[in-house]
Amino acid sequence: MSLSGLFVRKDIDGFLGLFIDNLVNLLIIDATLTGLFKMDPSVVHGRILPAAVISILIGNIYYTLMARRIAAAEGRTDVTALPYGISTPIMFVYLFLIIGPVYWATNDADLAWKVGMASALLGGIVEFLGSFLGGYLRRITPRAAMLGTLAGIAITFIAMKPTLGIWENPLIGFVPMTIILIGFVARVAMPFNIPVGLLAVAIGTAIAWITGFMDGSSLDQSVQNVGIRIPLPAISEIIGGLAAIAPFLAVIIPMGIYNLLETMQNVESASAAGDNYDTKKVMMADGTGTIIGALLGSCFPTTVYIGHPGWKAVGARQGYTLINGFVLFVIGTLGLVSIAGAIIPKEVAFCILLYIGLVIGAQAFTEIPKRHTPAVIIAFLPHIAGYLKTTIDQALMAAGSSAQSLGIDTLLDSGVHYAGLDSLANGAILTGLLLGTIVVFLIDRDFIKAAVSALIGALFAFFGIIHAAGFGISAAPRHAGGYLFLAVVILIFHFIDRHNRSFRGSTT
């Protein structure tokens, strides 16, 4: 395949944004595993991070080639490759609901790594197998529901937390944020046509160092991790992890489904932006990338990222993902992750994540029929609940407490509906899809499909796929009953509507 047109100047902006997004995840993994879970740095920098960047490289190469094929087949030069990397939401889930609990229960960081690898392997298998249903699910799910729940994730977990970080350090964050907004949102050219992302990163980093916000101590410490690290297959370690994986299946399988749905939504988001990718092939690639990473030592599933419309809007095409993959590969296999984090302030990354949240949020309203906008709003709500619950849990944990020890009723007396947040947040991405789908069908007066969607919600709640902390028989019985009542009411109105239409037809 010809390399003609593979790289354009705007690929630099796309690369910088995607690179920093990936880098932040690698830095979080590094800090959490070595700091909080006391994992051996030689394992983190010699096995986990190198395996992760190899899986990212493979995915980036694949999606670059996939975009090239679409561009050649359609005779276009404006096809943008799908962004790819470690799934941010699932990364946090694996850290604090799988790896962390193993470490806290056993004080064995090595076992925590093994269980993490085994979990990632199983999660990748779930997504790979689910790819055979992905195209069908995408065809039957309304666009407003998919884009709405995706925007809910983008606005809460992708944009909100970084925005708070910007406002915590405005001297560092405001300038690169303004450059990003002027260049990417307002589409104003930078002086001398300098790429927007490059200028934002350079100025934000310079301000941080000049003001003393960054110092050389962390840079000196990070040098100790430098060295060539090529991971080998970790089959025996994975087998050891599989022996202790059973308690975490209620997390792994839903997260595999979550990854499947997130990929489906991101493919739909790319389609809305003008680039049509094969859902099945994309899901298979995501699952394969996760499996390869796990076999080499990574504990974290990979996925197509939220953000394709943003990189397309700034002019990135196919080369940006390729550059991203190779740069991350070099950084990860040479032990340079912590050095990069010691040089570039996190506030710069926050500005780029804010931009992605803005683009995805706007797309949910602009790429659907106007009458379906209520479906977008209701699809937001589970993710807002998830964000609030996470914030409350973290605050209580910092105070040495929890919602359970403090008392759910005590929180309710203070106006905090923790039980409601908990039930709505569990399975948020699937709940958002269901609620958005039901509302779309109601708006279109397709009551039968709306009732079927409600029945699916009852089934999911009954088995704990949504509204419950884990799988089980009758895991969320009240919510299952609620969806059944919802289906009955919808069916009643179906017959009322049909009767009214028949009556109006007979009188004309």
Side-chain angles (χ1 to χ4, degrees):
M1 183 177 292
S2 172
L3 294 179
S4 175
L6 175 60
F7 298 102
V8 297
R9 192 179 66 84
K10 290 295 185 178
D11 278 327
I12 297 176
D13 281 326
F15 154 68
L16 286 170
L18 182 58
F19 166 72
I20 291 176
D21 199 354
N22 276 275
L23 179 63
V24 168
N25 283 343
L26 296 179
L27 291 171
I28 291 171
I29 291 170
D30 181 11
T32 305
L33 294 182
T34 58
L36 188 59
F37 303 151
K38 310 303 179 185
M39 198 171 286
D40 186 346
S42 67
V43 172
V44 176
H45 291 275
R47 305 293 296 274
I48 297 175
L49 293 179
V53 298
I54 287 174
S55 66
I56 292 172
L57 172 63
I58 292 171
N60 279 192
I61 292 173
Y62 178 79
Y63 287 124
T64 299
L65 295 175
M66 199 174 188
R68 296 286 288 170
R69 293 190 187 99
I70 293 175
E74 299 181 1
R76 296 165 51 200
T77 60
D78 64 341
V79 177
T80 298
L82 292 169
Y84 175 83
I86 291 172
S87 171
T88 303
I90 296 180
M91 175 190 71
F92 282 109
V93 170
Y94 271 53
L95 281 172
F96 294 105
L97 293 184
I98 296 177
I99 299 172
V102 173
Y103 173 73
W104 294 320
T106 65
N107 202 33
D108 187 342
D110 190 58
L111 178 61
W113 169 48
K114 293 175 182 178
V115 174
M117 277 191 295
S119 301
L121 177 63
L122 181 56
I125 293 172
V126 169
E127 182 165 19
F128 183 88
L129 295 178
S131 67
F132 295 96
L133 294 175
Y136 173 73
L137 292 174
R138 184 182 168 202
R139 287 193 298 272
I140 66 173
T141 306
R143 173 172 283 190
M146 286 194 286
L147 296 185
T149 192
L150 186 64
I153 299 170
I155 291 172
T156 52
F157 290 97
I158 304 299
M160 188 62 189
K161 281 183 175 292
T163 301
L164 297 178
I166 294 170
W167 255 255
E168 287 173 349
N169 295 294
L171 293 178
I172 310 300
F174 273 21
V175 171
M177 179 187 70
T178 304
I179 292 172
I180 293 292
L181 292 176
I182 292 174
F184 286 165
V185 179
R187 306 289 181 86
V188 175
M190 296 293 103
F192 308 106
N193 285 322
I194 298 174
V196 177
L198 178 60
L199 187 62
V201 170
I203 292 182
T205 300
I207 292 174
W209 282 93
I210 291 172
T211 59
F213 183 78
M214 305 285 285
D215 59 61
S217 59
S218 58
L219 184 60
D220 292 338
Q221 186 176 359
S222 64
V223 173
Q224 301 175 11
N225 297 317
V226 176
I228 299 176
R229 318 288 174 88
I230 303 297
L232 299 173
I235 306 300
S236 61
E237 290 89 347
I238 291 175
I239 293 173
L242 287 172
I245 202 175
F248 305 101
L249 292 178
V251 175
I252 297 166
I253 295 176
M255 285 300 99
I257 296 172
Y258 171 96
N259 215 4
L260 186 77
L261 294 173
E262 184 180 28
T263 297
M264 180 180 74
Q265 291 164 326
N266 290 334
V267 171
E268 182 63 25
S269 178
S271 176
D275 295 336
N276 295 302
Y277 287 90
D278 186 304
T279 307
K280 179 181 177 180
K281 290 180 179 179
V282 172
M283 288 180 174
M284 291 179 71
D286 281 3
T288 301
T290 298
I291 291 170
I292 292 173
L295 290 174
L296 292 175
S298 174
C299 307
F300 305 99
T302 52
T303 188
V304 168
Y305 269 11
I306 292 174
H308 169 279
W311 306 134
K312 188 173 184 67
V314 304
R317 296 299 176 241
Q318 294 115 52
Y320 83 106
T321 51
L322 196 61
I323 303 172
N324 175 71
F326 278 105
V327 171
L328 285 171
F329 173 77
V330 170
I331 289 176
T333 55
L334 293 183
L336 303 176
V337 170
S338 52
I339 288 182
I343 295 174
I344 303 173
K346 62 183 182 299
E347 285 73 16
V348 173
F350 291 165
C351 298
I352 294 174
L353 294 175
L354 170 59
Y355 163 69
I356 293 300
L358 293 177
V359 173
I360 299 299
Q363 184 192 48
F365 292 99
T366 58
E367 300 297 334
I368 62 168
K370 187 175 181 180
R371 68 182 187 278
H372 288 166
T373 53
V376 171
I377 299 298
I378 199 169
F380 277 20
L381 300 183
H383 303 290
I384 295 174
Y387 177 81
L388 292 174
K389 178 183 179 295
T390 300
T391 302
I392 292 171
D393 286 344
Q394 290 173 337
L396 291 174
M397 186 183 299
S401 183
S402 67
Q404 289 70 30
S405 61
L406 187 60
I408 304 300
D409 291 337
T410 301
L411 289 170
L412 184 59
D413 290 339
S414 299
V416 179
H417 294 264
Y418 187 87
L421 291 174
D422 185 47
S423 63
L424 189 56
N426 284 320
I429 191 168
L430 192 52
T431 303
L433 273 176
L434 279 170
L435 294 178
T437 296
I438 290 170
V439 171
V440 167
F441 289 146
L442 291 177
I443 291 170
D444 292 344
R445 296 199 174 185
D446 195 338
F447 293 108
I448 296 297
K449 288 183 180 178
V452 170
S453 300
L455 290 173
I456 292 173
L459 187 66
F460 285 171
F462 183 80
F463 288 106
I465 298 174
I466 58 176
H467 306 313
F471 286 156
I473 304 298
S474 192
R478 291 186 301 169
H479 295 88
Y483 281 107
L484 286 175
F485 287 154
L486 178 59
V488 170
V489 171
I490 291 172
L491 287 174
I492 290 172
F493 275 91
H494 163 70
F495 290 111
I496 292 174
D497 183 64
R498 190 171 70 173
H499 172 75
N500 290 341
R501 291 186 183 185
S502 298
F503 178 76
R504 287 193 298 268
S506 64
T507 56
T508 56

